Amino acid sequence: MLKSLKPKPWTCASCLSHRQRALRSLTTAATATAHVPYDNLPPPLANHGAPGAKHDDRVLRQIFDSQAFWRDFSLPTRSGKSAQTAGLFRNHYLKSPAGFQQFAQDTLRKCRKIVGKVSAASTFEEYRSMPRDLDRLSDLLCRVIDLSDFVRVTHPDRRIQRAATQAYAQMFEYMNVLNTTTGLNEQLQKALADPEVTASWSVEERTVAQILIKDFAKSAIDLPSEQRQKFVELSNDISRLGSEFVDQMEPAQSHMSFDSSTMKGMDPKVVQQLTRWGKVMLPTVGSAAHMALRTVEDEATRKQIYLASRTASTQQLQRLEKLLKKRAELAQLSGYKSYAHMTLNDKMAKTPESVTQFLLALAADNAEPMRNELAELLRLKQLDGAHSATPHQIQAWDREYYLSRLRSQTRSTSRKPDFLSAYFSLGTVMQGLSRLFSRLYGVRLVPNETLLGETWNDDVRRLDVIDEREGHIAVVYCDLFERAGKSPNPAHFTLRCSREISDSEIAEAVHSTSLPNLPNPDHAAADGMATARRTPTSPLYQLPTIALICDFSVPPVPRRPTLLTFREVTTLFHEMGHAIHSILGRTALQNVSGTRCATDFAELPSVLMEHFAQDPDVLALFARHHETDAPLPYAMVADKIAQDRKGEAAETENQILLALLDQRYHSLSLSRDSDADADFNTTRIYHALHRTHAHIPDPRGTTYQGFFGHLYGYGATYYSYLFDRAIAGKVWKEVFSGRPGAAVDRERGQRYREEVLRWGGGRDGWGCVGGVLGEGYEGLREGGAGAMAEVGRWGVKG
């Protein structure tokens, strides 16, 4: 995806689902391939002192780099005519399509029992247990919803897809019922109002109670019935309009017609494919238009393409304005000044004013790098020799063209674009991640055979996460290879969160007739899925269960491994950053487990992992040539990083502008009866913002806001990725750099684990940031507009 025309998909599918906290709450509907023998490889650089750790380390590489080894590794537990299916994820309900219905029905029965208990609570003990009861209610719903949602979009069997979809819909119908059940909210408010009760709660319990009461408030459950009905209608309208805005996105002009002579510089094969009756018919949006803006030499042609590709249809703008008005009305109905105020109330930012402070400070930090970039592009333009009406200025339609020229010049002095791939077989990268986690946190990735029916495809590998002190702490299913019909988007899915399982739940499972073939009470309490006790006498925990999805190419030569580009390595590290947050954020309550934290904090662990992917000490753990076993010369990586950072300041400015626009649109107070509403014009706001903050403002007549689909999915929170990039850069600088070996130092890793990862969402994000940065940053713990501006001044470079 080109940076200039569309915003980068700055978050993975995990974060997209994370933003829908409603789905997680109670109140919303919603033979080996390398030429060097493995036994002759140098010893691991990580600490693999545990029995069998070196063997596990070798196997980890082999199961990803050798298809033959993987077949041999997985065959024994999948073969045999008498073998019985273990159920998807070893969930004993999910052995057949019919099992989804039983799973949903049994879950509903348990949920209704909890709702009855909470609704009838009257004693101190009953109110004291309320956060855990409601958290279990949430967990029961998520057990079905998270698994079913993943299976219905991932499993190739249509029968299983349908069954998962039905279970998913059934649970949402029940959640709609909870939306109208005011008793839960009233009972939780009573508990919160009793100082003796709240004093008896743990920090996690108090946090979960506050999260749930805010979610109740956002669902308008405490409004009179007529207003509640209006809230439901507005929510439905917003869902419909948002889907239309994203799905029916269209330009004002679908195609442009050019003489082929004006397309000089563009790939002739592509031009020929687009030629009809002697004219080049170029689609206004899409890859061909992006290519033209990068390669067409004629400035007038680039200008025409740019303007058309940035101009949305009138109907699309009308959809956007209706969407924004409905959101403003919803917020006002809920008692908030604006939709941004409502959305940000439980985020680190708290208010749109604080977000703006962050973005303006970030823009000031980015101004000088932006001017330097433009000066470099202008020198190229002036050396070009082509006629230009504005030879002393870079225009909006010039940037991608000259940036592409600049990058081409850089590449011509370096090696071919894929020269790094030879050092990054998929198996060695997975091996490297395990070694890194072992160094930093004392945990490693251990291959485990998958049972018959456990996974949705035979290519899926199961890794158990083993802590050197606590033993088995998580399960990761890795679906990393491309195949027909599979989504190309990388993603991290939390299929089941960490949560402490009470003795009463275990006793209930023992006496249940639903899963009679589970003699182990611990397994029965988790439907057969992974559980563990930290010590024999410790409480039972259900283990985080994660699916990691990528789309890496299968090598054309069977005996060779899949080789990753440096960008793919970075992507894999990013997604594993989400996974390690889920793995180490092992809380007693699932509402604050792992990545279930504030939206503007959720990307910190994943973005920080991108810094690790570029560090020489980290790369030295694993990056070796797949044929010669030679270590990776870091200078090659440094050249690649420098090349990729060409245009970084302009991309940062583009993201700042979009985030500011998101705040401006969602900070407006609108009412259908007000004069301000009639005068509301998204295009006027868009261009006013560009005139004020852009070094190269969009030309008049463009309406790019109509293509900004994230306005629906990330309304009022688009700043989050920039925000977490700034924090991640600071954490990297202060904690994991500064001296050789800092990036693989156990003491520093434990500091980050204890101050950030282990809390999940159970600690305010500012407390995590202030805690990990340590001395000199204590003032950040309170948050606020000043703290937001301070983060902006850190910048997002590097």
Side-chain angles (χ1 to χ4, degrees), residues 337-341 352-353 356 662-669:
K337 181 179 178 181
S338 70
Y339 185 80
H341 285 88
E353 292 81 11
T356 301
D662 176 41
Q663 290 303 307
R664 287 287 302 277
Y665 284 166
H666 288 106
S667 297
L668 295 170
S669 298

Side-chain angles (χ1 to χ4, degrees), residues 72-369:
D72 292 341
F73 180 85
S74 59
L75 183 62
T77 53
R78 297 191 192 183
S79 60
K81 294 183 179 180
S82 61
Q84 293 185 349
T85 178
L88 281 166
F89 318 107
R90 302 192 184 180
N91 184 308
H92 280 240
Y93 282 107
L94 307 184
K95 296 182 177 183
S96 68
F100 281 90
Q101 180 64 24
Q102 185 184 359
F103 191 21
Q105 289 294 335
D106 286 354
T107 299
L108 286 173
R109 176 181 50 78
K110 296 173 185 176
C111 288
R112 292 182 179 118
K113 182 178 179 181
I114 294 173
V115 170
K117 176 186 176 183
V118 172
S119 299
S122 60
T123 68
F124 171 81
E125 289 297 328
E126 289 169 336
Y127 282 116
R128 186 173 70 172
S129 68
M130 196 164 290
R132 287 184 177 266
D133 290 337
L134 291 176
D135 186 77
R136 188 193 175 201
L137 176 58
S138 179
D139 179 65
L140 286 168
L141 295 169
C142 289
R143 284 188 180 190
V144 180
I145 288 172
D146 290 348
L147 284 178
S148 298
D149 191 24
F150 177 79
V151 170
R152 72 192 183 116
V153 298
T154 306
H155 205 286
D157 189 322
R158 292 184 180 274
R159 297 173 305 156
I160 293 177
Q161 289 177 13
R162 285 193 296 268
T165 299
Q166 290 169 359
Y168 179 86
Q170 188 172 3
M171 300 310 295
F172 264 88
E173 182 179 352
Y174 179 68
M175 294 178 82
N176 275 324
V177 173
L178 292 182
N179 269 343
T180 62
T181 306
T182 59
L184 296 178
N185 178 51
E186 293 168 354
Q187 288 286 65
L188 184 55
Q189 286 180 335
K190 288 180 183 178
L192 283 164
D194 188 329
E196 186 180 1
V197 169
T198 56
S200 71
W201 290 345
S202 68
V203 173
E204 271 189 32
E205 289 169 338
R206 287 195 293 272
T207 300
V208 167
Q210 290 295 337
I211 288 172
L212 294 176
I213 208 70
K214 287 179 180 179
D215 286 341
F216 277 123
K218 284 185 178 182
S219 71
I221 200 168
D222 54 352
L223 291 177
S225 58
E226 184 176 341
Q227 290 177 289
R228 245 193 350 261
Q229 181 57 37
K230 180 64 176 176
F231 182 94
V232 172
E233 292 172 2
L234 285 170
S235 298
N236 290 336
D237 288 343
I238 289 168
S239 178
R240 175 181 55 80
L241 287 167
S243 297
E244 291 175 359
F245 177 68
V246 173
D247 297 339
Q248 299 180 30
M249 199 174 290
E250 59 184 3
Q253 178 184 358
S254 64
H255 287 76
M256 294 166 283
S257 176
F258 298 98
D259 292 330
S260 58
S261 60
T262 65
M263 306 301 288
K264 183 181 178 182
M266 192 171 177
D267 186 338
K269 292 182 180 179
V270 176
V271 173
Q272 184 178 10
Q273 291 171 356
L274 297 171
T275 301
R276 300 289 186 274
W277 300 287
K279 291 285 187 178
V280 178
M281 301 301 295
L282 184 72
T284 302
V285 295
S287 59
H290 300 168
M291 179 187 293
L293 286 170
R294 293 197 316 271
T295 59
V296 168
E297 297 176 4
D298 182 63
E299 183 178 349
T301 301
R302 292 201 310 273
K303 178 180 179 179
Q304 185 178 343
I305 296 170
Y306 183 87
L307 294 176
S309 66
R310 305 279 291 192
T311 305
S313 69
T314 301
Q315 295 89 337
Q316 179 70 351
L317 300 182
Q318 290 172 347
R319 293 182 195 110
L320 174 60
E321 293 180 2
K322 289 178 182 177
L323 171 64
L324 295 173
K325 292 173 184 177
K326 294 289 186 181
R327 278 181 162 170
E329 190 177 353
L330 182 78
Q332 291 172 350
L333 179 65
S334 302
Y336 291 91
K337 181 179 178 181
S338 70
Y339 185 80
H341 285 88
M342 181 175 76
T343 300
L344 296 172
N345 182 51
D346 59 353
K347 309 300 185 291
M348 289 178 69
K350 301 302 182 188
T351 68
E353 292 81 11
S354 292
V355 175
T356 301
Q357 289 290 311
F358 159 70
L359 293 170
L360 293 180
L362 185 61
D365 178 82
N366 191 61
E368 184 176 356

Side-chain angles (χ1 to χ4, degrees), residues 724-738:
D724 285 341
R725 276 185 66 195
I727 296 175
K730 190 67 171 178
V731 171
W732 178 258
K733 179 181 178 181
E734 298 293 333
V735 181
F736 292 108
S737 61

Side-chain angles (χ1 to χ4, degrees), residues 50 105 209 263 350 401 468 476 503 606 665:
Q105 289 294 335
M263 306 301 288
K350 301 302 182 188
Y401 177 70
E468 61 189 24
V476 182
D503 291 341
S606 57
Y665 284 166

Side-chain angles (χ1 to χ4, degrees), residues 494-780:
T494 301
L495 304 175
R496 181 160 290 187
C497 286
S498 168
R499 191 180 72 88
E500 181 183 320
I501 298 176
S502 68
D503 291 341
S504 61
E505 292 174 57
I506 299 172
E508 178 185 348
V510 169
H511 295 97
S512 172
T513 59
S514 300
L515 296 174
N517 296 322
L518 283 177
N520 186 320
D522 289 0
H523 285 175
D527 314 317
M529 294 178 65
T531 60
R533 298 179 185 270
R534 297 179 181 182
T535 68
T537 58
S538 295
L540 178 69
Y541 273 72
Q542 62 186 34
L543 300 188
T545 301
I546 297 150
L548 195 65
I549 309 295
C550 289
D551 194 46
F552 300 140
S553 61
V554 177
V557 180
R559 291 175 60 85
R560 296 178 71 86
T562 288
L563 302 179
L564 304 185
T565 66
F566 190 61
R567 181 182 294 274
E568 289 174 328
V569 172
T570 303
T571 294
L572 186 53
F573 268 65
H574 178 100
E575 298 303 334
M576 283 301 294
H578 287 302
I580 201 67
H581 198 187
S582 294
I583 291 164
L584 298 182
R586 298 178 64 213
T587 55
L589 303 180
Q590 74 93 30
N591 263 286
V592 291
S593 172
T595 56
R596 292 189 176 176
C597 55
T599 305
D600 51 4
F601 190 69
E603 286 290 322
L604 171 60
S606 57
V607 177
L608 184 64
M609 280 296 291
E610 295 180 21
H611 289 271
F612 283 101
Q614 300 178 1
D615 183 81
D617 292 315
V618 174
L619 293 172
L621 294 176
F622 68 95
R624 310 184 75 85
H625 197 282
H626 73 104
E627 293 180 326
T628 68
D629 199 43
L632 171 67
Y634 188 73
M636 297 165 63
V637 178
D639 287 345
K640 174 63 174 171
I641 294 170
Q643 178 183 308
D644 288 347
R645 286 180 180 167
K646 298 290 185 182
E648 185 178 57
E651 175 59 20
T652 297
E653 179 172 283
N654 181 50
Q655 295 300 310
I656 292 171
L657 291 168
L658 291 173
L660 283 169
L661 185 68
D662 176 41
Q663 290 303 307
R664 287 287 302 277
Y665 284 166
H666 288 106
S667 297
L668 295 170
S669 298
L670 299 173
S671 172
R672 289 185 300 177
D673 299 326
S674 70
D675 293 335
D677 178 67
D679 195 44
F680 179 59
N681 186 300
T682 59
T683 301
R684 186 184 303 117
I685 295 170
Y686 175 75
H687 284 286
L689 188 147
H690 264 247
R691 286 193 301 270
T692 304
H693 299 290
H695 283 79
I696 311 177
D698 239 18
R700 286 185 178 182
T702 55
T703 53
Y704 180 68
Q705 73 272 20
F707 298 114
F708 187 13
H710 287 308
L711 284 170
Y712 175 53
Y714 300 97
T717 62
Y718 192 75
Y719 72 93
S720 298
Y721 185 60
L722 285 170
F723 183 63
D724 285 341
R725 276 185 66 195
I727 296 175
K730 190 67 171 178
V731 171
W732 178 258
K733 179 181 178 181
E734 298 293 333
V735 181
F736 292 108
S737 61
R739 68 169 180 81
V744 292
D745 181 76
R746 171 63 68 86
E747 183 178 349
R748 295 167 188 249
Q750 285 299 110
R751 172 176 160 190
Y752 177 61
R753 178 178 182 173
E754 290 300 310
E755 295 289 350
V756 178
L757 295 176
R758 81 175 182 91
W759 294 92
R763 183 189 197 186
D764 180 74
W766 289 113
C768 293
V769 174
V772 73
L773 292 178
E775 186 177 353
Y777 296 94
E778 294 87 352
L780 288 174

